[in-house]
Amino acid sequence: MHGPLTPEPYRVVGRREEVGDVVTLSLEPCTDGASGTYAHGQFNMLTAFGVGEVALSIAGSAGTSGLIEHSVRDVGAVTHALCTVPAGAVVGLRGPFGNGWGIERLPDGPDVVVVAGGIGLAPLRSAVGDLVVREREGRGRVFVVAGARSPDQVLYGDDLDAWRLSGSDVVVTVDVGTPGWEGPVGVVTTVLPDLAFEPGGAWALTCGPEIMMRFVARALVECGVEPARILVSLERNMQCGIGICGHCQLGPLLVCRDGPVVPYGGVADRLLVERGR
Ligand SMILES: Cc1cc2nc3c(=O)[nH]c(=O)nc-3n(C[C@H](O)[C@H](O)[C@H](O)COP(=O)(O)OP(=O)(O)OC[C@H]3O[C@@H](n4cnc5c(N)ncnc54)[C@H](O)[C@@H]3O)c2cc1C
Ligand code: FES
């Protein structure tokens, strides 16, 4: 039995080029005993052997097989190594870590608004999958706003279509339109006032660049959503992932242990403002 600091070997059994510089890897444990269980919004630490280790949100899984999906944006040495890893290769994985969105604790009834920017849809993808099922059961309407730089950068297009077909209100907005694009153009906050959700009692889940989350949270508060019901997913440089090393310290929080999901009201509102200065 390995400790939480030792990566387990996982084989890359699938590799899908998403949009732009994002690749989704499907990983299968090389050894028995990996459960594949996680909470929506948790993250794993992935190792590209010989290069390094990075934190990556869990973007999905396949039932009880232990198969797990990560979408990786190529921004530096480790993410580049992971984005270019061939099918059949072995990477290291430890986790899951962090808390997650806690959607299983949401009360039945109120609307749920999900706002994502770019790769920020990764930690929300499996949560929305369950929220959509929940909506079909009459337990709360779902509104999804996904922002992308341009139409060719819209992540998880098939999932967005499937959620829409299932009856959820899904809006995709782009910063810059291209010929043929008929959807809205503008940052995610521009479409929030037009969403037909009921703010009283509503919950909101948001992930994306920090500045986006700050403006989204403020816009939702202006729409009438209670700040404590707005959940944001924070990103910090992670090393241990389990609250030992202090690398992810943000104010009073260790983001790996106390987050990455925190309520905007009372915690993230102060921290995001401090970071924005
Ligand atoms: C909880 C958590 C969940 C995450 N989930 C995902 C995920 O699902 N998918 C994913 O692709 N990434 C995710 N990240 C971000 C990912 O961990 C970083 O992109 C990664 O650590 C960068 O490492 P690197 O060695 O490739 O690049 P580095 O060499 O560390 O950085 C290269 C350059 O990219 C910049 N950079 C670093 N991180 C980011 C970033 N997040 N966005 C833009 N520029 C950056 C650096 O400032 C530097 O200029 C997550 C981070 C956290 C903390
Ligand atoms: S990453 Fe080490 S304490 Fe959070």
Side-chain angles (χ1 to χ4, degrees):
M1 184 69 184
H2 291 133
L5 291 172
T6 310
E8 299 279 351
Y10 272 64
R11 190 168 305 284
V12 179
V13 292
R15 189 184 171 283
R16 193 170 62 248
E17 308 253 346
E18 301 279 2
V19 291
D21 46 8
V22 178
V23 170
T24 296
L25 301 175
S26 302
L27 307 173
E28 185 181 65
C30 296
T31 50
D32 290 339
S35 70
T37 359
Y38 68 97
H40 304 303
Q42 282 192 298
F43 67 95
N44 285 320
M45 298 296 296
L46 252 72
T47 302
F49 291 113
V51 187
E53 189 182 47
V54 289
L56 293 171
S57 304
I58 300 169
S61 71
T64 54
S65 63
L67 199 75
I68 210 131
E69 286 198 327
H70 284 286
S71 294
V72 194
R73 189 164 145 233
D74 185 346
V75 295
V78 182
T79 47
H80 181 71
L82 290 170
C83 282
T84 51
V85 76
V90 173
V91 297
L93 184 151
R94 56 189 185 90
F97 300 133
N99 54 3
W101 299 106
I103 61 164
E104 57 290 343
R105 293 192 296 276
L106 294 183
D108 285 356
D111 291 344
V112 184
V113 181
V114 176
V115 188
I119 190 88
L121 194 51
L124 285 160
R125 182 183 177 215
S126 61
V128 176
D130 276 11
L131 287 170
V132 165
V133 172
R134 206 173 161 272
E135 178 178 40
R136 279 204 306 268
E137 295 166 355
R139 297 169 56 198
R141 295 185 301 168
V142 182
F143 298 77
V144 179
V145 178
R149 270 172 286 173
S150 53
D152 62 346
Q153 297 289 316
V154 177
L155 193 61
Y156 306 141
D158 291 347
D159 293 290
L160 293 163
D161 288 344
W163 300 335
R164 194 179 284 122
L165 275 174
S166 172
S168 300
D169 191 335
V170 178
V171 180
V172 179
T173 181
V174 296
D175 297 344
V176 183
T178 48
W181 174 254
E182 291 175 352
V185 175
V187 292
V188 285
T189 43
T190 57
V191 299
L192 290 179
D194 296 331
L195 286 190
F197 72 101
E198 175 51 57
W203 284 81
L205 284 50
T206 182
C207 186
E210 221 158 79
I211 186 162
M212 181 213 93
M213 292 193 287
R214 196 164 73 230
F215 282 106
V216 165
R218 285 183 190 164
L220 289 166
V221 171
E222 270 170 35
C223 289
V225 182
E226 183 69 37
R229 295 205 181 100
I230 301 170
L231 305 178
V232 306
S233 183
L234 299 172
E235 232 185 63
R236 282 296 168 280
N237 182 10
M238 305 267 176
Q239 293 220 347
C240 70
I242 54 170
I244 295 174
C245 72
H247 266 87
C248 65
Q249 179 101 37
L250 178 64
L253 304 178
L254 290 176
V255 174
C256 69
R257 185 195 63 193
D258 307 318
V261 177
V262 296
Y264 176 68
V267 185
D269 51 353
R270 276 179 291 119
L271 298 173
L272 292 178
V273 168
E274 280 163 25
R275 290 273 306 172
R277 282 189 187 136

